[in-house]
Amino acid sequence: MQLPNCRMDFLGIKNGDKIKCVSDNKEFEVRNNKILVNGQEMTLTKYMNENHPRNGITNQHNGYQYFTYKRNKIYEMWQELVTAHI
């Protein structure tokens, strides 16, 4: 089953909240369902693709799998929310 695109605001993550990248342990401020990187809004997937390239079949990340909010993986939070409403 393919989940709809993740929305941090649906998870209660608001503008100004901090999330952390588990790949580099950097913390970012949330703005409009994106993160602020050097003052610019960027999607989590774009951040991962630009800063943590993958090897293998695809070079694309699902950025939400690499970030946590209050020590909870955002992707797992999204899975729980969506499956609870299906």
Side-chain angles (χ1 to χ4, degrees):
M1 171 182 76
Q2 175 131 4
L3 298 176
N5 289 335
C6 185
R7 293 275 311 260
M8 288 188 277
D9 56 345
F10 289 178
L11 298 171
I13 304 172
K14 302 175 190 75
N15 286 342
D17 285 347
K18 303 285 186 187
I19 63 173
K20 186 177 277 192
C21 178
V22 297
S23 293
D24 57 20
N25 213 32
K26 292 183 180 178
E27 190 172 72
F28 298 93
E29 181 179 331
V30 173
R31 179 83 44 86
N32 301 321
N33 286 300
K34 298 177 181 178
I35 54 175
L36 287 179
V37 180
N38 299 321
Q40 300 293 317
E41 291 180 9
M42 181 180 287
T43 67
L44 304 184
T45 298
K46 183 175 180 180
Y47 175 80
M48 290 304 298
N49 289 334
E50 288 185 2
N51 295 285
H52 302 280
R54 292 177 57 176
N55 295 320
I57 296 171
T58 178
N59 195 31
Q60 295 295 312
H61 289 282
N62 176 340
Y64 289 93
Q65 294 178 341
Y66 300 92
F67 286 83
T68 60
Y69 175 67
K70 296 183 178 180
R71 297 189 173 146
N72 297 302
K73 287 190 176 180
I74 292 174
Y75 187 74
E76 290 173 4
M77 294 169 61
W78 184 247
Q79 285 180 311
E80 288 176 20
L81 178 68
V82 171
T83 55
H85 290 91
I86 293 180

